[in-house]
């Protein structure tokens, strides 16, 4: 069925979800009629989707949500759920269905305040849809308080509520939450499968699609972005030049500054697009006059402050995400260098810069390369611990230095 089209190389998971969506109907019927639910059902109230970044765990969860909300008339005739075209499917896929709430970490954590409305909603019946669905895109970012709020809600779900939690691995989620969920693990799709999807779904030229899939090592979203976005390709090319530039301290500090500036610029672009509109909407909703300078009604300062905090956290998060992509690209570069140094026959991801890889591989040994990869991992850890980005990145570029 069309709702599953964006899933790449996950046939087994897709079959399980489709079966659950079919069985879900009988549960809805039993609940609304007040009769006993069927004894064997492949449907359940809480699901945990895990898999490495880019494997499509959120895509799978969203497709499942759409199949659950599918209202296609064909279904009365025994058709499969997930037509992709009915109102239920469509609004779920584009994120506007009234009974599908999506939770995304705004900053490095999902705060209990971010979850408050959603948890409250989870105890209610769906307004128009068949199910009340809560999709938590990055459940690994739930902190202690927000995780406990989710745990309570998952322990006693309303009859037609479904929780869909996504995280990189099961270890990222509280064991008590995990034990309430049906667990599905997605694998990284093959490079060929990702390339094929880019050709089929996005009309990308086959050689471009294959390159994008190969250099991103099967990360679906990043492959699509690279294949379709010129700016993303340029940014990546700049990052991959970095190992050739860092030959003295001055160059290291300069490279670090540029990397951090580029990420900040990216965050600013996102903020410019979203923040202004969001602020204006809230001001209007609170009854303020038009224009940024007009007075706010009494008692609304707290709400405005909450929005400002949220926007600040989102800017930090976007900057970190962009840096994260750069670090992944750099790791890929040195992984290729290591493969060359060890004479490994594993396919080189960055074939198009073979010349640069060779140069670095000849100028150093595998031990040095491993230490460089460790420095990149250390930088990522520092960013996770909220070390100032410039400090973390400088420490890394210094460790990547030639010689
Ligand atoms: Zn549908």
């Amino acid at each position: 069925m069309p709702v599953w089209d964006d899933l790449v190389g996950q046939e087994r998971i897709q079959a399980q979800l489709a079966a659950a969506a079919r069985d879900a109907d009988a549960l809805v019927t039993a609940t609304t009629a007040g009769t006993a639910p069927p004894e064997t059902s492949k449907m359940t109230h809480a699901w945990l989707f895990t898999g490495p970044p880019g494997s499509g765990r959120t895509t799978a969860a969203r497709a499942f949500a759409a199949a659950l909300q599918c209202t296609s008339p064909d279904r009365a005739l025994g058709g499969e759920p997930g037509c992709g075209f009915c109102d239920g499917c469509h609004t779920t896929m584009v994120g506007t269905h009234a009974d599908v709430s999506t939770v995304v970490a705004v900053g490095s954590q999902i705060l209990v305040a971010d979850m408050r409305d959603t948890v409250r909603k989870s105890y209610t019946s769906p307004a128009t849809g068949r199910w009340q669905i809560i999709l938590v895109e990055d459940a690994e970012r739930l902190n202690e308080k927000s995780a406990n709020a989710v745990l309570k809600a998952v322990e006693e779900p309303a009859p037609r509520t479904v929780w869909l939690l996504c995280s990189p691995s099961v270890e990222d989620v509280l064991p008590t939450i995990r034990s309430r969920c049906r667990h599905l693990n997605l694998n990284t799709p093959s490079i060929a499968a990702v390339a094929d999807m880019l050709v089929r779904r996005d009309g990308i030229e086959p050689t471009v699609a294959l390159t994008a899939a190969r250099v991103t090592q099967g990360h679906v979203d990043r492959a699509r972005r690279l294949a379709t976005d010129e700016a993303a390709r340029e940014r990546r090319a700049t990052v991959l030049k970095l190992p050739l530039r860092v030959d003295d301290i001055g160059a290291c500090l300069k490279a670090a500054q540029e990397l951090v500036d580029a990420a900040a610029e990216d965050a600013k672009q996102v903020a410019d697009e979203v923040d202004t509109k969001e602020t204006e909407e809230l001001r209007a909703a609170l009854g303020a006059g038009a224009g940024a300078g007009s007075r706010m009604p009494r008692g609304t300062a707290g709400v405005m402050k909450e929005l400002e905090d949220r926007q600040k956290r989102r800017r930090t998060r976007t900057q970190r995400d962009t840096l994260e992509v750069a670090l992944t690209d750099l790791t890929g570069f040195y992984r290729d260098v290591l493969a060359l140094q060890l004479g490994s026959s594993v396919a080189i991801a960055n074939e198009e810069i073979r010349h640069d890889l060779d140069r670095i591989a000849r100028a150093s040994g595998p031990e040095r390369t491993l230490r460089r990869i460790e420095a990149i991992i250390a930088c990522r850890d520092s960013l996770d611990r909220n070390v100032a980005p410039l400090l973390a990145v400088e420490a890394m570029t210094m460790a990547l230095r030639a010689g």
Side-chain angles (χ1 to χ4, degrees), residues 70-72 82-86 89:
C70 182
T71 51
S72 162
C83 70
F85 299 104
C86 72
C89 282

Side-chain angles (χ1 to χ4, degrees), residues 101-395:
S101 311
T102 307
V103 178
V104 191
V106 178
S108 55
Q109 289 188 333
I110 300 177
L111 305 181
V112 74
D114 300 333
M115 289 293 300
R116 208 187 295 134
D117 294 343
T118 312
V119 168
R120 200 179 296 141
K121 213 172 162 196
S122 81
Y123 292 112
T124 64
S125 300
T128 56
R130 310 166 77 81
W131 293 89
Q132 181 74 267
I133 300 176
I134 319 288
L135 198 173
V136 183
E137 285 195 5
D138 27 24
E140 76 278 13
R141 292 178 190 261
L142 289 165
N143 68 10
E144 206 187 323
K145 280 188 183 163
S146 52
N148 277 318
V150 170
L151 175 61
K152 273 200 204 115
V154 173
E155 275 175 334
E156 294 169 40
R160 281 161 68 191
T161 291
V162 188
W163 283 83
L164 307 176
L165 307 174
C166 307
S167 72
S169 71
V170 278
E171 288 75 24
D172 295 318
V173 178
L174 277 186
T176 39
I177 294 183
R178 211 193 300 161
S179 66
R180 304 262 164 195
C181 296
R182 188 158 304 162
H183 175 215
L184 296 175
N185 185 50
L186 285 77
N187 295 318
T188 300
S190 72
I191 288 167
V194 173
D196 178 59
M197 191 270 304
L198 292 175
V199 173
R200 210 163 21 85
R201 294 273 295 158
D202 303 281
I204 309 282
E205 209 250 311
T207 53
V208 176
L210 193 60
T211 305
R214 178 167 42 75
V215 302
T216 55
Q217 299 282 295
H219 187 304
V220 180
D221 300 334
R222 292 198 51 217
R224 178 181 281 135
R225 177 110 194 251
L226 268 192
T228 55
D229 181 354
E230 177 70 35
R233 279 199 293 275
E234 273 171 26
R235 190 151 45 211
R236 185 183 139 79
T238 310
V239 168
L240 292 179
K241 283 282 174 211
L242 189 141
L244 305 172
R245 291 174 52 200
V246 286
D247 42 17
D248 62 47
I249 295 177
C252 290
L253 297 181
K254 187 160 178 278
Q257 184 74 56
E258 284 173 11
L259 211 55
V260 173
D261 285 349
E265 182 55 37
D266 205 41
K268 191 174 165 297
Q269 260 179 31
V270 175
D272 288 347
E273 281 166 30
V274 186
D275 289 8
T276 321
K277 188 163 165 277
E278 211 174 51
T279 307
E280 276 309 308
E281 277 171 6
L282 182 62
R283 289 173 61 89
L286 294 172
S294 67
R295 279 183 67 85
M296 292 299 296
R298 207 187 286 268
T300 56
V303 191
M304 289 306 292
K305 175 78 175 41
E306 213 170 90
L307 178 66
E308 278 166 27
D309 287 348
R310 227 179 115 76
Q311 291 175 338
K312 192 163 166 250
R313 285 197 287 144
R314 187 168 53 207
R315 269 200 293 279
T316 310
R317 165 92 196 258
T318 313
Q319 185 181 12
R320 198 173 304 157
D321 286 351
T322 306
L323 281 177
E324 181 82 39
V325 171
L327 297 186
T328 307
D329 286 338
L330 277 177
T331 312
F333 182 99
Y334 286 111
R335 212 191 293 123
D336 284 349
V337 169
L338 190 64
L340 292 174
Q341 286 169 331
L342 298 175
S344 157
S345 57
V346 190
I348 301 292
N350 299 289
E351 194 60 63
E352 72 284 4
I353 50 163
R354 184 68 174 246
H355 181 73
D356 295 347
L357 297 171
D358 272 331
R359 212 176 109 190
I360 302 285
R362 277 198 308 270
S364 59
E367 256 175 58
R368 187 67 218 267
T369 308
L370 280 174
R371 279 208 302 280
R372 284 169 163 156
I373 293 175
E374 278 163 16
I376 302 171
I377 296 169
C379 177
R380 180 173 293 147
D381 289 345
S382 300
L383 292 173
D384 278 345
R385 282 182 286 110
N386 286 322
V387 171
L390 188 57
L391 277 184
V393 176
E394 277 177 0

